[in-house]
Each structure stands twice: as C-alpha cells, then as structure tokens.
Amino acid sequence: MNWKVYILAITAFAVGLVELIVGGILPNIAKDLNVSISTAGQLITVFAFIYALSAPLLLSLTAKIERKRLFIISLIIFTLSNLMMYVSPTFPIVMIARIISAMSTSLVIVLSLTIAAKLVEPRYRAKALSYVFIGVSSALVIGVPLGIFVTESFGWRSVFLGIAVLSVLSLVLNIIFLERMPVTEIIPLKTQLKSLADVKILSAQFTTLFMLAGHYMLYAYLTAFLVEAFDLSASWISACYLLFGVSSVSGNALGSWLNDKLGTKKTILFVVASFAIVLLIIPFTIIALPLFLIITVFWGALSWALTPPLQSYLIQIAPKTSDIQQSLNTAALQIGISIGSAVGGIVFAFTSSAIYLSTFGVIFVLAALGCAAISLRNSSASQSTEQHT
C-alpha cells in the first residue's frame, strides 16, 4: 500500500481534533469570553451545521479545481482559522473562526478520503480509507483529554495554536510528497438529494440524525455535567473523556460484531433501543462516580456502534447510490450534532443544570428508533414485493 496514505491519516488526525475538542474546554472558553456555557456550546452547534452543509456544496463549487491544489488551499485556510481562534478577543470573532474552520475541515476530510482511494490499487482501497478514519477517531480519543490538559497548563487558546502547528506540519508533508490529482466527475448536489425521495433511505438517514442529536444533548456539555455531579478536577475530567473516547472507538468493532451475529436490521434496532436505555440511566448514576464510569463505557460504545450496521444497510437498500448515501449520512451525523448541542444548550440555560440533559436526549433517540422501524418496514415491504414479482 502507498505510504503516502499515512500522511493523509496524520492530516485527518490534525484536522479532526478541532471539532470535538471544544466540548471538553467549554467552561474555560465561556469564562474567558464572558459568555454562558450554553452560549459557548453553540460553537459546537454551528461547527457541525456548517460542516454538514459545506462538504457537498463546496465539492460542487470546486469541482474544476485540481485536487491537490484544493487540498493544500483548504489546509492553509484551516491553519489560519485556528490562528484566528488563538488571537480572537471576543466571542463573535471566535464564532467566525469556527465557521471558517468547519468549512475547511469538511473539505480536508472529504479530500483526504478521495485522494487516499486514488493513491492505492483497488484491492487496498478499503484499507486506505480505514487509515484516514483511524486518524479521525484517534483525534476523538486523544483530542479532548489532551485539550483539557493543555488548557489547564497554558490556557484554552494554546489548544488551537497547537492544532495550527500540527496542520502546518501536515501541510508541508503534503506539499512535498503528494502528487497532483486530476479532477474527476463530481455528482451534482441535486442528484444527491434526489435519492432522499425514497422513504426507506430518508428514514434511515434520519435515524443517524436523531441518534446523534440525542447523544449530543449531554455529550456537548459533559464537562459541566461532571463538575456539577461529582465536582471533578481537570485531570479526572480528562480521564473520563479518555474512557469515553476509547469506548467510542471500540463501538465500531461492537457494531460490526453485532451485525455479524444478529444481522443488519436487528442490530440497528438493538443498538438504538439500548442507547435510549443508557441515556435514561445516566442521571441515576450521579450517586457514585464508579457507577457513572461503568455506564460511560456502554454509552461511548453504543454511540458509535450504529455506524457499521447502518452504513451496511444503506449499501444494501441503495447499491447504485451507495457513495452518495455515505456522504449524506456524514451530513446527517453533523446535523444531528448541531441540533443536539443547540437544544442541549437551550435546556441547560433554562434549567441551569446538566444532570437531566440525557433524559431529554432520549426523546431524540426514540425518534431515531421510530425512523429505523419505518425504514426497515419499508425495506421489508420492498423486498417482499420484488420476490413476488
């Protein structure tokens, strides 16, 4: 396999840090910028929303630009957005920096996947793409606890200076070693959206959206929850995020294993239903930190366990537009994050407590369960019709 894929994985790691790292340091950002925690939480909401919109739109608008050139430009803009975060004196400017960062991040990640697939022979394509995803998931595991540590030692702005330095290093590596990539045909956005006219596809995408919305009702404000429930120090909060991150990454393996054992449809229903139960339990774990940590393992694992079976399901029901569905599923995921963190911020501001955010999140997860049931029912009906014809 082409060793340059590892450079793309490093790039994905550097860029992937920027989205989730804010969740762990929200109180610090809020205090420094003189805004409420719920207001600071909108930095997550806006990032996810802009990310979801930017990937398909920017790819369509930049379809004629040579891929390496576009990749380098996106990385430069990403670096500048993090430097802007580092020097921003007010919350509005920080928000503008996050918007620019979200737009550039969406392009860098999508182009990393596209370029990785072109660098290798077809038989190594899945492996190459997995390395890029490992870069992103590693950012989830390492990023938040590392961000908390750096914030406590040097201040929250230093986190984004560090990300800028990492992105510069990856920028240099890509400029030196990455070859030019010819422009390939980009599927028009209108064509992508047309596929959502199918009820079973649309409801499957909404399953991801509502699942992530329910998840981020609490996860976006996990630091505030840990301080309120257990009065934890920064080091303990960092440890909790690390435990959650490791559990989340293992969730991919869990989802694949369940998919093999139970089948795609049963796995989807099982994971979503189990996730709703875990969210209901979380408020009752504040009586003891060890109990919360045990539930955190299940929470983290189930939060990512849906991805393998659902993507497998999308390929099964829409084989001709499978690439489009993966792109749209990523957008649905980001919109879910945006909605969950936004609604979570509203509830947090209204109640002045993070303890029962997961309880409200269950409403979204039940909606996800309903969407999954609709999709699976329509899928079964379609297969039954095909068999009779």
Side-chain angles (χ1 to χ4, degrees):
M1 192 178 72
N2 195 323
W3 62 271
K4 295 174 186 177
V5 170
Y6 298 113
I7 296 177
L8 295 173
I10 293 170
T11 304
F13 172 79
V15 174
L17 286 170
V18 80
E19 178 174 10
L20 299 178
I21 208 166
V22 168
I25 58 177
L26 272 183
N28 305 80
I29 296 175
K31 183 178 180 181
D32 184 53
L33 297 176
N34 197 30
V35 297
S36 67
I37 292 178
S38 60
T39 299
Q42 302 316 303
L43 294 172
I44 301 173
T45 301
V46 172
F47 186 100
F49 183 72
I50 296 299
Y51 186 114
L53 294 180
S54 295
L57 284 175
L58 291 179
L59 279 176
S60 297
L61 292 173
T62 59
K64 296 182 179 180
I65 302 177
E66 188 268 322
R67 300 294 93 177
K68 178 183 177 179
R69 182 183 178 189
L70 180 61
F71 189 58
I72 297 304
I73 292 172
S74 301
L75 266 174
I76 291 172
I77 294 173
F78 174 79
T79 302
L80 293 175
S81 70
N82 282 280
L83 291 175
M84 186 176 175
M85 286 284 289
Y86 177 67
V87 300
S88 295
T90 63
F91 183 77
I93 297 178
V94 168
M95 182 62 79
I96 293 171
R98 285 289 284 179
I99 291 172
I100 297 171
S101 180
M103 295 173 70
S104 54
T105 298
S106 68
L107 266 181
V108 171
I109 296 297
V110 172
L111 288 171
S112 293
L113 293 168
T114 302
I115 294 172
K118 292 181 180 298
L119 285 175
V120 298
E121 298 174 23
R123 59 182 175 142
Y124 292 121
R125 191 166 295 157
K127 189 175 182 180
L129 295 176
S130 71
Y131 278 121
V132 176
F133 280 118
I134 287 172
V136 176
S137 60
S138 297
L140 169 65
V141 176
I142 299 172
V144 177
L146 182 62
I148 293 171
F149 172 77
V150 172
T151 296
E152 291 299 314
S153 302
F154 307 104
W156 70 269
R157 295 176 187 276
S158 298
V159 171
F160 296 96
L161 179 61
I163 294 174
V165 171
L166 284 176
S167 60
V168 167
L169 292 175
S170 62
L171 177 63
V172 172
L173 290 173
N174 282 292
I175 289 174
I176 295 173
F177 296 110
L178 197 64
E179 58 259 35
R180 289 173 60 85
M181 291 282 167
V183 176
T184 55
E185 182 182 359
I186 302 295
I187 300 173
L189 184 59
K190 185 178 179 180
T191 303
Q192 296 185 39
L193 295 177
K194 269 185 179 180
S195 66
L196 295 177
D198 190 322
V199 174
K200 61 181 180 289
I201 293 176
L202 180 62
S203 51
Q205 298 290 10
F206 269 112
T207 300
T208 293
L209 189 153
F210 286 127
M211 177 86 163
L212 268 293
H215 171 43
Y216 264 78
M217 279 286 293
L218 175 59
Y219 186 71
Y221 304 93
L222 182 55
T223 296
F225 173 90
L226 293 171
V227 171
E228 182 182 350
F230 305 109
D231 194 26
L232 296 184
S233 64
S235 57
W236 268 102
I237 292 172
S238 180
C240 288
Y241 271 103
L242 182 60
L243 175 65
F244 187 94
V246 172
S247 301
S248 297
V249 174
S250 68
N252 270 315
L254 173 64
S256 298
W257 181 79
L258 287 172
N259 194 55
D260 292 338
K261 294 293 182 181
L262 303 177
T264 300
K265 297 179 181 180
K266 289 182 180 179
T267 299
I268 291 172
L269 294 174
F270 175 78
V271 168
V272 178
S274 299
F275 194 66
I277 293 171
V278 168
L279 290 185
L280 279 173
I281 293 173
I282 287 175
F284 299 100
T285 65
I286 63 173
I287 58 174
L289 180 60
L291 179 59
F292 171 76
L293 295 178
I294 292 170
I295 295 301
T296 294
V297 172
F298 290 99
W299 178 25
L302 288 169
S303 69
W304 274 36
L306 181 65
T307 303
L310 190 65
Q311 292 193 345
S312 175
Y313 174 65
L314 286 169
I315 292 172
Q316 289 174 22
I317 63 175
K320 294 182 180 179
T321 60
S322 59
D323 290 344
I324 296 173
Q325 298 312 319
Q326 304 308 309
S327 172
L328 291 174
N329 194 243
T330 300
L333 183 148
Q334 292 293 336
I335 293 172
I337 292 174
S338 177
I339 292 173
S341 53
V343 176
I346 293 170
V347 174
F348 185 53
F350 183 75
T351 62
S352 299
S353 174
I355 299 299
Y356 293 101
L357 288 177
S358 66
T359 305
F360 288 95
V362 172
I363 298 171
F364 282 120
V365 180
L366 290 177
L369 187 61
C371 289
I374 292 170
S375 181
L376 295 173
R377 181 180 179 183
N378 276 275
S379 177
S380 299
S382 297
Q383 290 176 356
S384 177
T385 302
E386 289 174 4
Q387 289 173 355
H388 284 297
T389 55

